[in-house]
Amino acid sequence: MQNNTQNIVLDHAKIEAILAKFGIQKENYAFSTQKNQGFSQNATLHKVHTPVNGDYLASVRYATQEEYNNSIKIAKNAFKNWRTQPSPKRGEIVRQFGEKLRAYKADLGYLVSLEMGKIYQEGLGEVQEMIDICDFAVGLSRQLYGNTIHSERPQHRMFEQYHPLGIVGIISAFNFPVAVWAWNATLAWVCGNVCIWKPSEKTPLVALACQHIFNEVAQENGLEDGISCLILGDRNVGEWLAKDENVALVSATGSTRMGREVGKIVAERFGKSILELGGNNAVIITENADVEMAIRSTIFGAVGTCGQRCTTTRRLIVHEKHYDYVKNRLVNAYQKLTIGSPLEEGNLVSPLIDNLAVNNFTQALQNVQAQGGKLIVGGEHLGGNYVSPAIVEAENHCEMVQNETFAPILYLLKYKGDVQNAIDLQNDVKQGLSSAIFSLNIRETELFLSAQGSDCGIANANIGTSGAEIGGAFGGEKETGGGRESGSDAWRAYMRRQTNTINYSDKLPLAQGIKFDVD
């Protein structure tokens, strides 16, 4: 592997210029709602460092409970008017937001790479994903359809319609620090909701930048304060959102542990939740696969974003016919990976988010080897937050293979016999987000996509586990949470369903032919 991690120097003049474009002060910066209401000056400063080389970027203040409550009050007031606006008019605001994102794409993509650590091309891709969901939401704003239903009673009309929920709380993770917020916020906005966003404490600056962009649109259109609110803070803010009966829906992206806590708290108050949690995604290479295509896809799926995607390929299940060839090709390809600053063109592997992630990576490799796994390439800590992606030969039942490690570790598994054996291995984990099969045999691919096949929310044939498009609903089953975000009919989760019946006769017949006459 080519190690380019030494002596990385950042252009701080450029960084400060980009922060200034988004109105971000380097010191004492705080934010809550569209009118830039600052948080308490007595709050503790939290310093933000880049995972690229550890340099200090800026400081932010976390909200107090009182300031959170004030934001809720402002959001509730904004909802009263926002819900009355025609959906296409709400869509027009989202359209303008998308145009602003186009104008800011290069700078926002740079900031995503700088603060999160993914390579610049992926940072640009994340902003493009935001732009794409804006386009989707604009079209959706004219397609919030209900249903007309034939009544069994004469001269009655029955129909279903959808209304906005109110306040939507969004808890996002560091690995996609802005795109997942946009998936939720844009759909919630066109549906007539207002949003309160709790970003990851590891990536507050990109959240501030997005709020600044929305604020420009809000100010240009004279929108009331509170349609978009940003609350910086640690897990306390997430708990406030989960417990708050004013928050109709909590959409949380993160670990299974976090989702289990949030889901339980929200359910106890009969609130709604969307949970997009852990993944333990597998690619199957059958004896009938285009092996070269499968290998290329697996490499990106396993090492992209340094293994910190929820859709990262973590298990590779290979038919014994191709196992040795695939193993050797992967080892050779891994040895050619370029590791270094995500802001330098040509580097394919970027840093992990922080020291804790590095420790989890090294500990997982120690554990899996103690459980019988064999490390065949990579696994080194290169200094700072940089590691060399690892491949481990293991068995699917191994404890470490059964659990997600948010780092670039690919477990190589061998299967024999027909494809059902591989599918059974793939499904034999607690998570159920993304999955893929590589085969040129239509019977194998169709079986994989059938009810007998993959039990994941995403199942692909001849493409990998990563790279979901915004047009499809995103989410998974089992310990992945079961929620759906982004495209398709995911918008329904952000609305409440109502059945209506209108009697335009001069009689009052009851359903099911019930007679209940009173003189």
Side-chain angles (χ1 to χ4, degrees), residues 126-318:
E126 181 161 355
V127 181
Q128 185 60 49
E129 198 165 349
M130 300 174 73
I131 294 168
D132 292 344
I133 197 64
C134 284
D135 289 348
F136 180 91
V138 172
L140 176 66
S141 69
R142 295 180 181 271
Q143 300 179 76
L144 300 176
Y145 301 137
N147 296 305
T148 298
I149 304 160
H150 287 281
S151 173
E152 65 184 60
R153 290 168 284 187
Q155 294 183 299
H156 283 60
R157 182 165 69 89
M158 187 161 57
F159 61 95
E160 293 178 335
Q161 60 180 333
Y162 290 83
H163 298 301
L165 291 170
I167 297 176
V168 171
I170 303 168
I171 302 172
S172 62
F174 75 87
N175 60 327
F176 278 84
V178 291
V180 173
W181 165 73
W183 289 358
N184 286 275
T186 56
L187 299 193
W189 286 333
V190 298
C191 289
N193 302 293
V194 297
C195 297
I196 294 184
W197 179 19
K198 188 271 178 200
S200 168
E201 54 265 43
K202 299 177 182 180
T203 52
L205 300 184
V206 287
L208 291 167
C210 290
Q211 181 73 18
H212 177 84
I213 295 170
F214 183 84
N215 287 355
E216 289 187 353
V217 176
Q219 291 162 9
E220 290 167 4
N221 288 271
L223 298 181
E224 64 272 41
D225 193 17
I227 295 170
S228 177
C229 301
L230 177 65
I231 305 292
L232 301 182
D234 54 18
R235 61 177 297 166
N236 289 331
V237 177
E239 291 178 1
W240 297 340
L241 284 169
K243 294 177 180 178
D244 195 335
E245 293 185 357
N246 293 299
V247 180
L249 168 69
V250 177
S251 178
T253 302
S255 68
T256 298
R257 177 197 57 77
M258 178 276 292
R260 186 174 281 115
E261 293 178 7
V262 170
K264 179 181 178 180
I265 294 171
V266 175
E268 284 178 345
R269 62 175 177 84
F270 296 103
K272 299 177 183 295
S273 63
I274 299 173
L275 302 176
E276 199 283 283
L277 311 174
N280 196 350
N281 316 297
V283 168
I284 296 172
I285 300 179
T286 78
E287 60 181 321
N288 300 301
D290 181 330
V291 176
E292 295 304 319
M293 180 185 290
I295 289 171
R296 291 198 303 274
S297 174
T298 298
I299 293 170
F300 171 74
V303 308
T305 324
C306 200
Q308 296 172 114
R309 288 173 174 244
C310 48
T311 55
T312 289
T313 303
R314 308 208 179 276
R315 296 177 295 140
L316 183 62
I317 304 169
V318 187

